[in-house]
Amino acid sequence: MNQIKENIEIINKNIKNSVKKSNIKDKCDIILLAVTKTVECDTIIKAIECGIKDIGENKPQELSRKYDIIGNNVRWHLIGSLQTNKVKSIIDKVYMIHSLDRISLCEEIQKRAKKDINCLVQVNITKEETKSGLYKEDVMNFIKCVSRNYPKIKIKGLMTMAPFTNDEDILRRTFRELKALSDTILSENIDSVSMDYLSMGMSNDYEIAIEEGANIVRIGTSIFGKRNLT
Ligand SMILES: *Cc1c(COP(=O)(O)O)cnc(C)c1O
């Protein structure tokens, strides 16, 4: 059996187990987002043949290049930071942008989009300087502002990256804070804002993330193996 197929089967089994353990009542399906940075198209196509339907790229140029080869029978997610001058090149290709984090980006998306664009607001829960995303306390006002002023942007939930650690308590606390924030936002019933998705959890922490309410996990290494350079 090929390695990618085996890896995906193991991950799917782990996802199922974590869903069982999770505190979440409505156990909707978990989206396994295959993160394909540094992975070439022939390998991505193998993963698609194993059932992958969602692909995540962190660089707009790479998303664009691979989309042009692989096409739109899978859903393309931009998971890395997005410069405004790159919006034009990906806006017709993405299913969802996970890194909405500032008004200037909203302006550009509103200007370039021909249809509604699904977005997640990226939150920097632990306030690490190396991470992008809004601080927790700024998210509510940001979302209200987007809802009022940028009708083509449909906010569908939140995304975060946990600290790079194996400390389960820190990871769990981070994910729990993002889930709590999404519950608070949902309770405000903001126009055209939903909290359908929580994008959190990567190769080393996706099981904990699911237990704490994630329904999109972004997984690279555990599917494709170690990257040489990113
Ligand atoms: C690279 C990356 C991932 C996947 O990381 P792995 O540890 O390889 O699973 C997830 N999310 C973002 C934003 C990434 O850049």
Side-chain angles (χ1 to χ4, degrees):
M1 189 160 59
N2 84 56
Q3 192 62 54
I4 288 175
K5 186 165 184 224
E6 193 175 327
N7 291 345
I8 291 173
E9 281 173 9
I10 292 167
I11 293 165
N12 278 328
K13 203 182 290 169
N14 291 341
I15 288 176
K16 244 188 213 150
N17 281 330
S18 305
V19 167
K20 268 191 216 142
K21 280 205 255 170
S22 78
N23 313 314
I24 307 307
K25 287 191 195 71
D26 49 346
K27 304 203 170 189
C28 52
D29 288 337
I30 308 290
I31 295 175
L32 169 54
L33 178 55
V35 176
T36 55
K37 57 190 183 204
T38 76
V39 177
E40 267 316 316
C41 287
D42 51 344
T43 308
I44 300 174
I45 288 166
K46 278 188 196 147
I48 294 169
E49 286 165 358
C50 299
I52 290 294
K53 296 183 172 61
D54 293 88
I55 304 284
E57 276 288 336
N58 67 333
K59 294 206 176 97
Q61 308 91 301
E62 284 293 281
L63 186 150
S64 194
R65 179 177 74 82
K66 291 171 185 177
Y67 175 101
D68 289 343
I69 297 168
I70 293 173
N72 65 357
N73 58 341
V74 286
R75 303 190 293 192
W76 293 85
H77 300 247
L78 186 80
I79 60 172
S81 58
L82 179 54
Q83 290 175 278
T84 47
N85 65 0
K86 299 277 162 47
V87 168
K88 196 165 62 146
S89 67
I90 56 129
I91 199 69
D92 296 330
K93 301 176 179 177
V94 283
Y95 171 72
M96 190 140 73
I97 294 169
H98 291 228
S99 49
L100 195 72
D101 62 354
R102 60 196 194 280
I103 292 299
S104 59
L105 183 55
C106 299
E107 294 271 357
E108 185 66 13
I109 293 171
Q110 177 66 32
K111 188 165 118 192
R112 300 289 180 185
K114 300 185 193 88
K115 55 174 175 52
D116 291 349
I117 304 295
N118 299 325
C119 293
L120 305 180
V121 176
Q122 185 169 356
V123 187
N124 184 355
I125 293 281
T126 46
K127 299 189 173 168
E128 288 168 274
E129 276 178 26
T130 54
K131 289 213 159 79
S132 31
L134 290 161
Y135 289 167
K136 203 171 71 164
E137 54 272 27
D138 299 326
V139 172
M140 186 69 82
N141 279 339
F142 176 78
I143 289 181
K144 285 179 176 167
C145 175
V146 175
S147 162
R148 272 196 305 270
N149 300 307
Y150 304 98
K152 282 190 183 139
I153 296 178
K154 300 298 177 211
I155 292 179
K156 298 284 181 190
L158 306 177
M159 178 273 219
T160 199
M161 286 178 84
F164 189 70
T165 174
N166 287 321
D167 185 328
E168 197 179 312
D169 286 341
I170 293 175
L171 294 168
R172 211 172 273 287
R173 212 177 318 135
T174 306
F175 296 140
R176 211 168 271 180
E177 278 188 49
L178 193 72
K179 168 66 177 157
L181 180 60
S182 93
D183 290 343
T184 307
I185 293 163
L186 187 64
S187 71
E188 296 266 324
N189 285 313
I190 306 166
D191 261 356
S192 77
V193 171
S194 84
M195 285 288 126
D196 293 342
Y197 296 113
L198 270 188
S199 168
M200 55 186 195
M202 320 199 318
S203 289
N204 69 320
D205 56 17
Y206 68 93
E207 292 165 283
I208 300 169
I210 291 169
E211 287 175 35
E212 298 300 335
N215 58 7
I216 301 179
V217 290
R218 308 180 307 266
I219 299 183
T221 311
S222 291
I223 297 176
F224 299 108
K226 265 207 159 69
R227 291 178 292 273
N228 293 325
L229 273 173
T230 55

